[in-house]
Amino acid sequence: MLRSISLALLLTIAPASAFANSCPTQMAAIDAALPTASLSEADMTKVKELRKQGEDLHNAGDHAGSLAALGEAKKMLGI
C-alpha cells in the first residue's frame, strides 16, 4: 500500500518538476537567437517582453504560463 502511494506521488511530482526545468532551457534558446534575429523593432520589443514575462511567470511558479509566453516568443523568432 505504501509503495503504491509513493509511486503515485512520484508520478505526480516528476512531470511538474520536468515542466519547470524546461523554462530555463527555453529562455536560453531565446537569448541565443536574439542577437541574430531579423525582426522589426516592434516585434523585437514584443519578443523581449514575452521573454521577460516567461521568466517572471517561471519565478512565480506558473510554468504552464511561462512556457506559453516563451513559446510565443520562440515562434516569433522562428525557432
Side-chain angles (χ1 to χ4, degrees), residues 9-76:
L9 184 60
L10 176 65
L11 292 175
T12 302
I13 294 172
S17 64
F19 201 49
N21 290 336
S22 68
C23 298
T25 303
Q26 302 299 318
M27 288 183 269
I30 292 167
D31 293 344
L34 280 172
T36 59
S38 57
L39 298 173
S40 69
E41 191 173 327
D43 284 347
M44 184 63 81
T45 299
K46 180 68 175 172
V47 166
K48 289 178 180 180
E49 288 172 359
L50 288 166
R51 199 290 191 191
K52 173 81 168 98
Q53 180 183 8
E55 183 173 6
D56 291 344
L57 289 168
H58 169 76
N59 291 336
D62 181 0
H63 302 291
S66 173
L67 288 176
L70 296 171
E72 189 175 337
K74 286 178 66 179
K75 183 177 175 183
M76 290 181 73

